[in-house]
Amino acid sequence: MTPTLRRKLEALAERREELERLLGDPTVIADNDQFRKLSREFAQLEPVATALADEAAAKADLAAAEAMRGDPELRELADEEIAAATARLAQLDVELLAHLIPKDARDDGDIYLEVRAGTGGDEAAIFAGDLFRMYSRYAERQGWKVEIESASQGEHGGFKEVIARIEGRGAYSQLKFESGTHRVQRVPETESQGRIHTSAATVAIIPVEAEGEPIEINAADLRVDTFRSSGAGGQHVNKTDSAIRITHLPSGVVVESQTERSQHANRDKAMKRLKAMLLDAQVTKAAAAQAETRKLQVGSGDRSQRIRTYNFPQGRITDHRVEGLTLYDLPNVLTGALDDLVARLQQEHQADELARLTQGA
């Protein structure tokens, strides 16, 4: 680890000690908002202090083992302890570097999931439905809440387009690498010759506007249209024009909401999603230059990139962004068993960030 990175770690440790003193201050304790804010920061820095303490212990073990090597009778034992302490220090070095990777403030937040059928006609819509069901079941496994905000059904099943809000701690951190084009290779049910077809669907993961990230929208920049709901919501959908479509004229972004019983509720939902989309566009534009060098393209806004292939005849899933990331577990993955994919993508992202961190140190 370079001296520059070591100083950054020491600064984090000093900040943690400062926070410990502040959290014992009666003035801070009396201010609920300040106390909550500082407590969150303290909790985030606690793993840094733990890793530094473990590192100090491992260095002490190494020094003691090296001192033992002078005794011929203890040399073999000393060599074993030196090897163990050295391995532990190498592991802690990686852990400590990981703590220096900038945290994305949106990681713990909720998301909007957008799945749209791409090339492939009816089969693409069916595949879009498969993907949406996969993410919904994964969300259920995590204990997250999934609420469809708008949907356009495919003629033979699935969705031409489906947009949902997923609420749950860590939703963005675990699904943010899913944005892009997903390709499927399989024999459609309508294929009489048994030929394998290739279809595609696009996925977009948009973080919900986080607290402290307000975005102002000029009412003059909006066109608001009402229409009759066609989705879930009960018999009222055939009686009133309660659905809302909002067009942000400067950007061309269009959002709809039709799942609530009133125009007001649907407008509120649509405005929240519009703000999230505009804020996401700002962030992705700012990160575009950096993202060109990142294999996972997080924050690049490049949702046309083909990221993954689902091959049904072979039961295989291949992620094209990570060398060697191929799983032969397609049936389980489609039922929501995404943990292995999510973990590998997070590890790859961390490795990329660590490489950038050490190069810039």
Side-chain angles (χ1 to χ4, degrees):
M1 186 182 303
T2 67
T4 300
L5 294 177
R6 175 62 61 179
R7 284 195 293 273
K8 290 181 180 179
L9 280 171
E10 291 170 352
L12 291 177
E14 290 171 2
R15 173 59 178 167
R16 183 235 175 228
E17 292 178 0
E18 179 185 11
L19 289 169
E20 190 171 25
R21 291 193 297 272
L22 288 172
L23 289 171
D25 187 326
T27 305
V28 173
I29 294 173
D31 186 336
N32 288 335
D33 290 339
Q34 180 74 351
F35 185 80
R36 191 180 306 111
K37 178 182 176 182
L38 294 180
S39 294
R40 281 199 299 265
E41 186 181 356
F42 180 83
Q44 291 170 353
L45 293 178
E46 187 66 18
V48 179
T50 300
L52 285 171
D54 289 345
E55 183 190 49
K59 286 181 176 179
D61 291 342
L62 179 60
E66 288 175 339
M68 285 168 53
R69 290 197 84 250
D71 188 334
E73 295 182 1
L74 299 176
R75 183 168 298 169
E76 185 175 346
L77 176 62
D79 287 341
E80 292 177 1
E81 293 191 2
I82 287 172
T86 301
R88 178 64 175 146
L89 284 169
Q91 178 187 353
L92 286 166
D93 198 59
V94 174
E95 290 182 18
L96 287 166
L97 283 172
H99 290 305
L100 291 176
I101 296 175
K103 299 292 188 297
D104 190 332
R106 304 171 297 172
D107 272 353
D108 285 338
D110 307 333
I111 61 170
Y112 291 106
L113 165 68
E114 302 181 354
V115 184
R116 294 180 174 85
T119 56
D122 292 336
E123 172 64 10
I126 293 171
F127 179 50
D130 292 339
L131 289 176
F132 180 72
R133 185 164 52 253
M134 176 183 76
Y135 292 123
S136 297
R137 290 179 176 175
Y138 177 71
E140 291 172 6
R141 290 173 179 230
Q142 306 303 313
W144 301 339
K145 177 184 176 183
V146 180
E147 181 180 2
I148 294 178
E149 297 216 338
S150 68
S152 174
Q153 304 282 341
E155 293 182 9
H156 296 280
F159 296 100
K160 295 177 182 177
E161 174 186 278
V162 58
I163 299 169
R165 177 165 174 153
I166 298 180
E167 298 179 355
R169 184 173 179 83
Y172 182 66
S173 69
Q174 291 178 246
L175 292 179
K176 62 183 176 182
F177 303 118
E178 295 300 306
S179 291
T181 297
H182 297 239
R183 185 177 67 168
V184 62
Q185 296 172 329
R186 63 184 173 188
V187 179
E189 294 181 5
T190 56
E191 172 55 59
S192 59
Q193 303 294 324
R195 292 173 297 188
I196 296 174
H197 286 223
T198 299
S199 305
T202 59
V203 173
I205 302 295
I206 300 171
V208 173
E209 184 183 20
E211 182 180 351
E213 293 183 331
I215 183 168
E216 299 298 327
I217 298 178
N218 189 337
D221 291 336
L222 302 178
R223 184 177 74 235
V224 181
D225 301 305
T226 60
F227 60 98
R228 189 155 296 178
S229 299
S230 59
Q235 295 180 354
H236 78 285
V237 298
N238 295 319
K239 299 177 182 179
T240 62
D241 290 343
S242 60
I244 292 288
R245 179 184 298 111
I246 301 177
T247 304
H248 185 249
L249 300 174
S251 66
V253 172
V254 180
V255 294
E256 295 180 358
S257 180
Q258 57 178 308
T259 56
E260 300 300 320
R261 292 181 176 272
S262 71
Q263 282 189 15
H264 177 76
N266 279 322
R267 182 188 176 99
D268 182 59
K269 274 192 168 183
M271 282 299 297
K272 286 179 179 177
R273 188 152 60 87
L274 176 60
K275 287 183 177 182
M277 293 178 72
L278 294 178
L279 181 61
D280 184 57
Q282 286 183 6
V283 173
T284 55
K285 183 178 180 180
Q290 288 184 339
E292 288 178 2
T293 63
R294 298 183 187 181
K295 285 178 283 187
L296 300 185
Q297 294 291 307
V298 177
S300 71
D302 182 9
R303 296 184 179 117
S304 64
Q305 179 195 19
R306 187 190 72 185
I307 65 168
R308 192 174 298 150
T309 295
Y310 303 71
N311 185 291
F312 275 69
Q314 298 177 16
R316 168 176 56 82
I317 296 180
T318 300
D319 196 292
H320 304 290
R321 298 164 295 177
V322 180
E323 185 177 356
L325 182 43
T326 296
L327 303 177
Y328 289 89
D329 194 26
L330 181 56
N332 283 329
V333 170
L334 289 176
T335 60
L338 288 170
D339 300 277
D340 287 345
L341 276 172
V342 168
R344 284 289 303 277
L345 292 168
Q346 288 179 330
Q347 289 167 7
E348 190 73 14
H349 173 64
Q350 185 179 75
D352 286 347
E353 291 298 300
L354 283 174
R356 294 177 64 251
L357 186 67
T358 52
Q359 288 170 5

